[in-house]
Amino acid sequence: MLLTSGLRVEEVSELTTLDVVKRKLPDGQIYYLLHVKPSKCDRARVIPIGDGLGRVIAEIIGHIKTFYRTDAVPACDRRDYVAKAPLPTAPYLLQGVGHPSAMSIQTIRGRLTNLSLAGARHADGTPLRLLPQDCRRVFATEHLNNNNNPVHVIAALLGHASLDTVMIYAKLYPDTLIEGYRTAMRGLYTDVYDTDALRSPAVEEWKAFAAGSSLRDMGTHICALPTGEHCSRGLVCLGCHHAQPKKSAAPVFRRMIASHTRALDKARTRGEPAGQLAARELELDRLRSALHRAEELDDDVADAL
């Protein structure tokens, strides 16, 4: 819940099933929002419930109903230990065991401590202990560095009053951790899809595919999405598994790689934050991958493209 919402621990601990708000658009489409009660900045807010957060909430609700053998999440009492005052009786999402009871912030912190890796240490040698704030940092950093979300959107999701607070997350990870993360993700991808998924298609495969599709020519790529179909990436083709780079575009990719490499060198000289450097490096990786896929095409496949 902490990782998929980016909420503060006190905000998560006070969530109830009543905070899941259902809305209907004029075209009839249904969407859900999560109402977050005032906490640190003393302001309430609503955040959209995406697929990841929606699955987490559904899983929690299903677990509680199964555990207590009830048709709904049972209501229970809760106390605000900071304000030293009781909170309303409500169906809280994070509950304890034994009888319906809200899970305390101390319990949440303890659970995270138990999840900490044995023997893991900070750079200064002190033991590494997971804290609720770490989950919030991961949420912010992932959205800032990998999802290309605007800073003001992340600030609204996190409940920050200032954009300066969000920009702290752009500097969190040193280059070694970023590269380690990328290496791990590449390994996971090949474990699931096998390295065969990264090869360029054969002539027969392209002909069979093109026979039943109206493909889009993006100049440097052929897009496998049929003409007129919505592109969730906003036609940003680099790194997209729907896009096959064209052999004729190889010189263009080489010029782009040279330009991006010069820009990265200047950014390092200026001392840009690690998160921004990582974004530049990721773009270079995508360009190199596109060049490699374009160069490995034989002439027959290039003609088919």
Side-chain angles (χ1 to χ4, degrees):
M1 174 70 85
L2 289 165
L3 282 170
T4 55
S5 68
L7 298 181
R8 301 179 180 92
V9 64
E10 60 270 20
E11 294 171 339
V12 166
S13 67
E14 294 182 12
L15 286 177
T16 73
T17 57
L18 305 177
D19 293 319
V20 179
V21 183
K22 182 179 180 181
R23 290 289 181 265
K24 187 175 184 179
L25 294 174
D27 61 3
Q29 185 177 352
I30 302 295
Y31 67 98
Y32 293 87
L33 299 168
L34 189 63
H35 172 253
V36 183
K37 303 175 186 66
S39 61
K40 187 176 180 180
C41 297
D42 198 30
R43 61 173 69 176
R45 65 187 188 280
V46 290
I47 61 174
I49 297 178
D51 290 342
L53 180 55
R55 284 194 295 268
V56 168
I57 293 175
E59 200 168 311
I60 289 174
I61 291 175
H63 177 74
I64 292 176
K65 291 195 295 186
T66 301
F67 183 84
Y68 290 123
R69 297 179 183 176
T70 56
D71 295 329
V73 175
C76 58
D77 297 327
R78 195 180 188 286
R79 184 174 179 81
D80 188 334
Y81 291 98
V82 177
K84 301 186 184 306
L87 292 170
T89 300
Y92 290 97
L93 279 175
L94 299 186
Q95 297 202 12
V97 297
H99 58 84
S101 61
M103 187 182 292
S104 68
I105 292 177
Q106 290 79 3
T107 300
I108 297 173
R109 293 183 186 277
R111 297 281 179 88
L112 283 176
T113 299
N114 293 337
L115 287 173
S116 301
L117 296 174
R121 296 186 175 278
H122 290 283
D124 60 4
T126 56
L128 175 64
R129 293 289 180 267
L130 289 175
L131 301 173
Q133 185 67 12
D134 295 328
C135 300
R136 186 168 161 85
R137 290 191 184 103
V138 170
F139 175 90
T141 306
E142 289 293 298
H143 279 70
L144 187 62
N145 293 339
N146 297 327
N147 295 344
N148 298 319
N149 285 333
V151 176
H152 67 279
V153 173
I154 301 174
L157 292 174
L158 295 174
H160 283 315
S162 169
L163 298 183
D164 294 337
T165 311
V166 181
M167 290 311 297
I168 294 173
Y169 297 121
K171 309 172 185 178
L172 277 179
Y173 296 144
D175 293 343
T176 51
L177 282 182
I178 293 170
E179 187 54 40
Y181 169 79
R182 284 190 189 152
T183 302
M185 292 308 295
R186 291 192 192 106
L188 286 175
Y189 181 86
T190 54
D191 284 345
V192 174
Y193 296 104
D194 194 26
T195 53
D196 187 61
L198 301 177
R199 69 173 176 81
S200 289
V203 179
E204 294 75 15
E205 291 172 325
W206 266 110
K207 287 181 177 178
F209 183 81
S213 304
S214 176
L215 304 182
R216 292 187 282 197
D217 190 336
M218 309 302 293
T220 58
H221 297 73
I222 290 295
C223 179
L225 287 175
T227 303
E229 186 170 323
H230 171 69
C231 173
S232 60
R233 293 178 61 88
L235 303 180
V236 180
C237 301
L238 282 181
C240 177
H241 64 277
H242 292 300
Q244 170 59 46
K246 295 160 67 174
K247 192 179 185 72
S248 59
V252 177
F253 293 135
R254 292 191 191 97
R255 290 195 296 270
M256 293 176 70
I257 289 172
S259 174
H260 280 63
T261 301
R262 290 193 296 270
L264 176 60
D265 291 339
K266 290 180 181 178
R268 285 173 174 156
T269 303
R270 290 194 301 266
E272 278 193 8
Q276 295 177 28
L277 291 176
R280 292 181 182 274
E281 291 169 355
L282 182 60
E283 194 69 10
L284 263 173
D285 285 346
R286 290 171 175 168
L287 281 167
R288 293 188 185 107
S289 175
L291 176 61
H292 175 72
R293 293 180 64 194
E295 288 180 330
E296 69 178 3
L297 294 177
D298 59 38
D299 293 333
D300 291 335
V301 174
D303 290 338
L305 289 177

